[in-house]
PDB file of all heavy atoms in Angstrom:
ATOM      1  N   ALA A 979      60.811  36.462  78.862  1.00  0.00           N
ATOM      2  CA  ALA A 979      61.598  37.333  77.983  1.00  0.00           C
ATOM      3  C   ALA A 979      62.300  38.421  78.787  1.00  0.00           C
ATOM      4  O   ALA A 979      63.453  38.782  78.492  1.00  0.00           O
ATOM      5  CB  ALA A 979      60.700  37.953  76.918  1.00  0.00           C
ATOM      6  N   VAL A 980      61.629  38.941  79.814  1.00  0.00           N
ATOM      7  CA  VAL A 980      62.236  39.963  80.676  1.00  0.00           C
ATOM      8  C   VAL A 980      63.455  39.384  81.409  1.00  0.00           C
ATOM      9  O   VAL A 980      64.513  40.022  81.479  1.00  0.00           O
ATOM     10  CB  VAL A 980      61.207  40.500  81.691  1.00  0.00           C
ATOM     11  CG1 VAL A 980      61.898  41.362  82.750  1.00  0.00           C
ATOM     12  CG2 VAL A 980      60.129  41.306  80.980  1.00  0.00           C
ATOM     13  N   VAL A 981      63.292  38.169  81.946  1.00  0.00           N
ATOM     14  CA  VAL A 981      64.410  37.519  82.649  1.00  0.00           C
ATOM     15  C   VAL A 981      65.602  37.331  81.718  1.00  0.00           C
ATOM     16  O   VAL A 981      66.750  37.625  82.079  1.00  0.00           O
ATOM     17  CB  VAL A 981      63.952  36.163  83.227  1.00  0.00           C
ATOM     18  CG1 VAL A 981      65.155  35.382  83.774  1.00  0.00           C
ATOM     19  CG2 VAL A 981      62.923  36.364  84.326  1.00  0.00           C
ATOM     20  N   ILE A 982      65.332  36.850  80.512  1.00  0.00           N
ATOM     21  CA  ILE A 982      66.405  36.610  79.540  1.00  0.00           C
ATOM     22  C   ILE A 982      67.083  37.929  79.154  1.00  0.00           C
ATOM     23  O   ILE A 982      68.317  38.011  79.081  1.00  0.00           O
ATOM     24  CB  ILE A 982      65.857  35.895  78.301  1.00  0.00           C
ATOM     25  CG1 ILE A 982      65.391  34.483  78.671  1.00  0.00           C
ATOM     26  CG2 ILE A 982      66.902  35.836  77.192  1.00  0.00           C
ATOM     27  CD1 ILE A 982      64.616  33.777  77.577  1.00  0.00           C
ATOM     28  N   ALA A 983      66.288  38.963  78.902  1.00  0.00           N
ATOM     29  CA  ALA A 983      66.844  40.260  78.522  1.00  0.00           C
ATOM     30  C   ALA A 983      67.709  40.836  79.643  1.00  0.00           C
ATOM     31  O   ALA A 983      68.778  41.406  79.387  1.00  0.00           O
ATOM     32  CB  ALA A 983      65.717  41.231  78.167  1.00  0.00           C
ATOM     33  N   LEU A 984      67.254  40.683  80.883  1.00  0.00           N
ATOM     34  CA  LEU A 984      68.048  41.169  82.024  1.00  0.00           C
ATOM     35  C   LEU A 984      69.380  40.437  82.106  1.00  0.00           C
ATOM     36  O   LEU A 984      70.428  41.045  82.384  1.00  0.00           O
ATOM     37  CB  LEU A 984      67.262  40.986  83.323  1.00  0.00           C
ATOM     38  CG  LEU A 984      66.072  41.919  83.545  1.00  0.00           C
ATOM     39  CD1 LEU A 984      65.303  41.519  84.798  1.00  0.00           C
ATOM     40  CD2 LEU A 984      66.529  43.370  83.647  1.00  0.00           C
ATOM     41  N   SER A 985      69.346  39.140  81.873  1.00  0.00           N
ATOM     42  CA  SER A 985      70.588  38.360  81.904  1.00  0.00           C
ATOM     43  C   SER A 985      71.535  38.806  80.798  1.00  0.00           C
ATOM     44  O   SER A 985      72.744  38.980  81.027  1.00  0.00           O
ATOM     45  CB  SER A 985      70.268  36.870  81.745  1.00  0.00           C
ATOM     46  OG  SER A 985      71.446  36.103  81.638  1.00  0.00           O
ATOM     47  N   LEU A 986      70.991  39.001  79.598  1.00  0.00           N
ATOM     48  CA  LEU A 986      71.824  39.425  78.467  1.00  0.00           C
ATOM     49  C   LEU A 986      72.394  40.820  78.685  1.00  0.00           C
ATOM     50  O   LEU A 986      73.429  41.172  78.105  1.00  0.00           O
ATOM     51  CB  LEU A 986      70.998  39.393  77.182  1.00  0.00           C
ATOM     52  CG  LEU A 986      70.569  37.997  76.691  1.00  0.00           C
ATOM     53  CD1 LEU A 986      69.587  38.121  75.534  1.00  0.00           C
ATOM     54  CD2 LEU A 986      71.783  37.176  76.274  1.00  0.00           C
ATOM     55  N   ALA A 987      71.725  41.617  79.507  1.00  0.00           N
ATOM     56  CA  ALA A 987      72.210  42.967  79.805  1.00  0.00           C
ATOM     57  C   ALA A 987      73.236  42.976  80.932  1.00  0.00           C
ATOM     58  O   ALA A 987      73.740  44.041  81.313  1.00  0.00           O
ATOM     59  CB  ALA A 987      71.033  43.874  80.161  1.00  0.00           C
ATOM     60  N   GLY A 988      73.544  41.794  81.491  1.00  0.00           N
ATOM     61  CA  GLY A 988      74.556  41.707  82.536  1.00  0.00           C
ATOM     62  C   GLY A 988      74.052  42.040  83.924  1.00  0.00           C
ATOM     63  O   GLY A 988      74.829  42.425  84.797  1.00  0.00           O
ATOM     64  N   THR A 989      72.744  41.858  84.149  1.00  0.00           N
ATOM     65  CA  THR A 989      72.152  42.162  85.457  1.00  0.00           C
ATOM     66  C   THR A 989      72.671  41.196  86.517  1.00  0.00           C
ATOM     67  O   THR A 989      72.927  40.020  86.235  1.00  0.00           O
ATOM     68  CB  THR A 989      70.608  42.059  85.375  1.00  0.00           C
ATOM     69  OG1 THR A 989      70.153  42.893  84.313  1.00  0.00           O
ATOM     70  CG2 THR A 989      69.966  42.488  86.672  1.00  0.00           C
ATOM     71  N   ASN A 990      72.796  41.682  87.757  1.00  0.00           N
ATOM     72  CA  ASN A 990      73.352  40.841  88.817  1.00  0.00           C
ATOM     73  C   ASN A 990      72.387  39.723  89.217  1.00  0.00           C
ATOM     74  O   ASN A 990      71.186  39.783  88.950  1.00  0.00           O
ATOM     75  CB  ASN A 990      73.755  41.676  90.042  1.00  0.00           C
ATOM     76  CG  ASN A 990      72.543  42.224  90.784  1.00  0.00           C
ATOM     77  OD1 ASN A 990      71.759  41.502  91.365  1.00  0.00           O
ATOM     78  ND2 ASN A 990      72.409  43.556  90.764  1.00  0.00           N
ATOM     79  N   HIS A 991      72.928  38.726  89.879  1.00  0.00           N
ATOM     80  CA  HIS A 991      72.196  37.489  90.171  1.00  0.00           C
ATOM     81  C   HIS A 991      70.974  37.715  91.052  1.00  0.00           C
ATOM     82  O   HIS A 991      69.938  37.071  90.861  1.00  0.00           O
ATOM     83  CB  HIS A 991      73.137  36.493  90.846  1.00  0.00           C
ATOM     84  CG  HIS A 991      72.470  35.211  91.232  1.00  0.00           C
ATOM     85  ND1 HIS A 991      72.088  34.260  90.305  1.00  0.00           N
ATOM     86  CD2 HIS A 991      72.094  34.725  92.447  1.00  0.00           C
ATOM     87  CE1 HIS A 991      71.521  33.241  90.923  1.00  0.00           C
ATOM     88  NE2 HIS A 991      71.522  33.503  92.222  1.00  0.00           N
ATOM     89  N   LEU A 992      71.070  38.630  92.010  1.00  0.00           N
ATOM     90  CA  LEU A 992      69.959  38.837  92.941  1.00  0.00           C
ATOM     91  C   LEU A 992      68.723  39.363  92.218  1.00  0.00           C
ATOM     92  O   LEU A 992      67.595  38.904  92.462  1.00  0.00           O
ATOM     93  CB  LEU A 992      70.382  39.810  94.047  1.00  0.00           C
ATOM     94  CG  LEU A 992      69.341  40.057  95.148  1.00  0.00           C
ATOM     95  CD1 LEU A 992      68.998  38.754  95.843  1.00  0.00           C
ATOM     96  CD2 LEU A 992      69.855  41.094  96.148  1.00  0.00           C
ATOM     97  N   ILE A 993      68.918  40.323  91.326  1.00  0.00           N
ATOM     98  CA  ILE A 993      67.792  40.864  90.556  1.00  0.00           C
ATOM     99  C   ILE A 993      67.195  39.783  89.661  1.00  0.00           C
ATOM    100  O   ILE A 993      65.965  39.654  89.547  1.00  0.00           O
ATOM    101  CB  ILE A 993      68.249  42.067  89.712  1.00  0.00           C
ATOM    102  CG1 ILE A 993      68.662  43.230  90.610  1.00  0.00           C
ATOM    103  CG2 ILE A 993      67.134  42.506  88.754  1.00  0.00           C
ATOM    104  CD1 ILE A 993      69.180  44.433  89.863  1.00  0.00           C
ATOM    105  N   LEU A 994      68.049  38.983  89.047  1.00  0.00           N
ATOM    106  CA  LEU A 994      67.564  37.896  88.189  1.00  0.00           C
ATOM    107  C   LEU A 994      66.785  36.863  88.998  1.00  0.00           C
ATOM    108  O   LEU A 994      65.793  36.304  88.514  1.00  0.00           O
ATOM    109  CB  LEU A 994      68.739  37.221  87.480  1.00  0.00           C
ATOM    110  CG  LEU A 994      69.318  37.986  86.300  1.00  0.00           C
ATOM    111  CD1 LEU A 994      70.610  37.327  85.822  1.00  0.00           C
ATOM    112  CD2 LEU A 994      68.313  38.056  85.168  1.00  0.00           C
ATOM    113  N   LEU A 995      67.218  36.628  90.207  1.00  0.00           N
ATOM    114  CA  LEU A 995      66.516  35.672  91.076  1.00  0.00           C
ATOM    115  C   LEU A 995      65.104  36.133  91.366  1.00  0.00           C
ATOM    116  O   LEU A 995      64.133  35.365  91.228  1.00  0.00           O
ATOM    117  CB  LEU A 995      67.303  35.492  92.382  1.00  0.00           C
ATOM    118  CG  LEU A 995      66.638  34.592  93.433  1.00  0.00           C
ATOM    119  CD1 LEU A 995      66.502  33.175  92.894  1.00  0.00           C
ATOM    120  CD2 LEU A 995      67.462  34.603  94.730  1.00  0.00           C
ATOM    121  N   TRP A 996      64.958  37.405  91.743  1.00  0.00           N
ATOM    122  CA  TRP A 996      63.624  37.936  92.045  1.00  0.00           C
ATOM    123  C   TRP A 996      62.760  38.040  90.790  1.00  0.00           C
ATOM    124  O   TRP A 996      61.543  37.844  90.843  1.00  0.00           O
ATOM    125  CB  TRP A 996      63.747  39.299  92.716  1.00  0.00           C
ATOM    126  CG  TRP A 996      64.154  39.211  94.157  1.00  0.00           C
ATOM    127  CD1 TRP A 996      65.373  39.484  94.700  1.00  0.00           C
ATOM    128  CD2 TRP A 996      63.325  38.784  95.243  1.00  0.00           C
ATOM    129  NE1 TRP A 996      65.363  39.266  96.046  1.00  0.00           N
ATOM    130  CE2 TRP A 996      64.117  38.844  96.421  1.00  0.00           C
ATOM    131  CE3 TRP A 996      61.999  38.375  95.349  1.00  0.00           C
ATOM    132  CZ2 TRP A 996      63.620  38.490  97.667  1.00  0.00           C
ATOM    133  CZ3 TRP A 996      61.500  38.026  96.600  1.00  0.00           C
ATOM    134  CH2 TRP A 996      62.309  38.087  97.729  1.00  0.00           C
ATOM    135  N   ALA A 997      63.361  38.345  89.651  1.00  0.00           N
ATOM    136  CA  ALA A 997      62.602  38.416  88.403  1.00  0.00           C
ATOM    137  C   ALA A 997      62.150  37.034  87.941  1.00  0.00           C
ATOM    138  O   ALA A 997      61.117  36.900  87.267  1.00  0.00           O
ATOM    139  CB  ALA A 997      63.452  39.076  87.316  1.00  0.00           C
ATOM    140  N   SER A 998      62.913  36.008  88.305  1.00  0.00           N
ATOM    141  CA  SER A 998      62.585  34.647  87.873  1.00  0.00           C
ATOM    142  C   SER A 998      61.385  34.072  88.615  1.00  0.00           C
ATOM    143  O   SER A 998      60.692  33.188  88.086  1.00  0.00           O
ATOM    144  CB  SER A 998      63.801  33.732  88.083  1.00  0.00           C
ATOM    145  OG  SER A 998      64.887  34.135  87.293  1.00  0.00           O
ATOM    146  N   ILE A 999      61.130  34.549  89.826  1.00  0.00           N
ATOM    147  CA  ILE A 999      60.032  33.985  90.628  1.00  0.00           C
ATOM    148  C   ILE A 999      58.674  34.195  89.966  1.00  0.00           C
ATOM    149  O   ILE A 999      57.918  33.231  89.768  1.00  0.00           O
ATOM    150  CB  ILE A 999      60.062  34.563  92.054  1.00  0.00           C
ATOM    151  CG1 ILE A 999      61.331  34.091  92.776  1.00  0.00           C
ATOM    152  CG2 ILE A 999      58.817  34.155  92.835  1.00  0.00           C
ATOM    153  CD1 ILE A 999      61.533  34.708  94.149  1.00  0.00           C
ATOM    154  N   PRO A1000      58.271  35.441  89.609  1.00  0.00           N
ATOM    155  CA  PRO A1000      56.971  35.597  88.932  1.00  0.00           C
ATOM    156  C   PRO A1000      56.929  34.914  87.569  1.00  0.00           C
ATOM    157  O   PRO A1000      55.875  34.433  87.149  1.00  0.00           O
ATOM    158  CB  PRO A1000      56.820  37.119  88.801  1.00  0.00           C
ATOM    159  CG  PRO A1000      58.195  37.674  88.921  1.00  0.00           C
ATOM    160  CD  PRO A1000      58.909  36.751  89.848  1.00  0.00           C
ATOM    161  N   ALA A1001      58.077  34.843  86.884  1.00  0.00           N
ATOM    162  CA  ALA A1001      58.111  34.159  85.582  1.00  0.00           C
ATOM    163  C   ALA A1001      57.820  32.675  85.757  1.00  0.00           C
ATOM    164  O   ALA A1001      57.073  32.074  84.969  1.00  0.00           O
ATOM    165  CB  ALA A1001      59.464  34.366  84.922  1.00  0.00           C
ATOM    166  N   ALA A1002      58.400  32.074  86.792  1.00  0.00           N
ATOM    167  CA  ALA A1002      58.168  30.654  87.055  1.00  0.00           C
ATOM    168  C   ALA A1002      56.723  30.397  87.474  1.00  0.00           C
ATOM    169  O   ALA A1002      56.109  29.404  87.056  1.00  0.00           O
ATOM    170  CB  ALA A1002      59.123  30.158  88.136  1.00  0.00           C
ATOM    171  N   LEU A1003      56.172  31.296  88.284  1.00  0.00           N
ATOM    172  CA  LEU A1003      54.778  31.147  88.712  1.00  0.00           C
ATOM    173  C   LEU A1003      53.820  31.245  87.527  1.00  0.00           C
ATOM    174  O   LEU A1003      52.890  30.433  87.385  1.00  0.00           O
ATOM    175  CB  LEU A1003      54.436  32.209  89.765  1.00  0.00           C
ATOM    176  CG  LEU A1003      55.070  32.038  91.143  1.00  0.00           C
ATOM    177  CD1 LEU A1003      54.742  33.236  92.030  1.00  0.00           C
ATOM    178  CD2 LEU A1003      54.583  30.751  91.800  1.00  0.00           C
ATOM    179  N   ALA A1004      54.043  32.228  86.660  1.00  0.00           N
ATOM    180  CA  ALA A1004      53.187  32.396  85.486  1.00  0.00           C
ATOM    181  C   ALA A1004      53.309  31.196  84.550  1.00  0.00           C
ATOM    182  O   ALA A1004      52.318  30.739  83.965  1.00  0.00           O
ATOM    183  CB  ALA A1004      53.548  33.680  84.746  1.00  0.00           C
ATOM    184  N   THR A1005      54.523  30.682  84.412  1.00  0.00           N
ATOM    185  CA  THR A1005      54.747  29.507  83.569  1.00  0.00           C
ATOM    186  C   THR A1005      53.987  28.297  84.104  1.00  0.00           C
ATOM    187  O   THR A1005      53.364  27.538  83.351  1.00  0.00           O
ATOM    188  CB  THR A1005      56.251  29.180  83.492  1.00  0.00           C
ATOM    189  OG1 THR A1005      56.941  30.293  82.912  1.00  0.00           O
ATOM    190  CG2 THR A1005      56.505  27.938  82.662  1.00  0.00           C
ATOM    191  N   THR A1006      54.014  28.126  85.428  1.00  0.00           N
ATOM    192  CA  THR A1006      53.305  27.013  86.059  1.00  0.00           C
ATOM    193  C   THR A1006      51.799  27.148  85.893  1.00  0.00           C
ATOM    194  O   THR A1006      51.097  26.180  85.555  1.00  0.00           O
ATOM    195  CB  THR A1006      53.660  26.940  87.558  1.00  0.00           C
ATOM    196  OG1 THR A1006      55.078  26.793  87.702  1.00  0.00           O
ATOM    197  CG2 THR A1006      52.962  25.768  88.219  1.00  0.00           C
ATOM    198  N   ILE A1007      51.269  28.352  86.127  1.00  0.00           N
ATOM    199  CA  ILE A1007      49.831  28.589  86.004  1.00  0.00           C
ATOM    200  C   ILE A1007      49.364  28.348  84.568  1.00  0.00           C
ATOM    201  O   ILE A1007      48.331  27.710  84.324  1.00  0.00           O
ATOM    202  CB  ILE A1007      49.483  30.022  86.451  1.00  0.00           C
ATOM    203  CG1 ILE A1007      49.725  30.182  87.959  1.00  0.00           C
ATOM    204  CG2 ILE A1007      48.031  30.361  86.109  1.00  0.00           C
ATOM    205  CD1 ILE A1007      49.590  31.600  88.456  1.00  0.00           C
ATOM    206  N   ALA A1008      50.142  28.853  83.611  1.00  0.00           N
ATOM    207  CA  ALA A1008      49.786  28.644  82.204  1.00  0.00           C
ATOM    208  C   ALA A1008      49.779  27.160  81.864  1.00  0.00           C
ATOM    209  O   ALA A1008      48.877  26.665  81.172  1.00  0.00           O
ATOM    210  CB  ALA A1008      50.770  29.384  81.298  1.00  0.00           C
TER     211      ALA A1008
END
């Protein structure tokens, strides 16, 4: 949800890239 909200707020690609890493890890672990 944080990644999506950042994207909708127009955040730059680099920040979204770093935010996506923990989201992907948590998704995999779950």
Side-chain angles (χ1 to χ4, degrees):
V980 169
V981 171
I982 294 170
L984 288 174
S985 174
L986 292 172
T989 306
N990 70 67
H991 178 72
L992 184 60
I993 294 178
L994 283 171
L995 176 63
W996 284 105
S998 297
I999 294 174
L1003 289 175
T1005 299
T1006 302
I1007 293 172

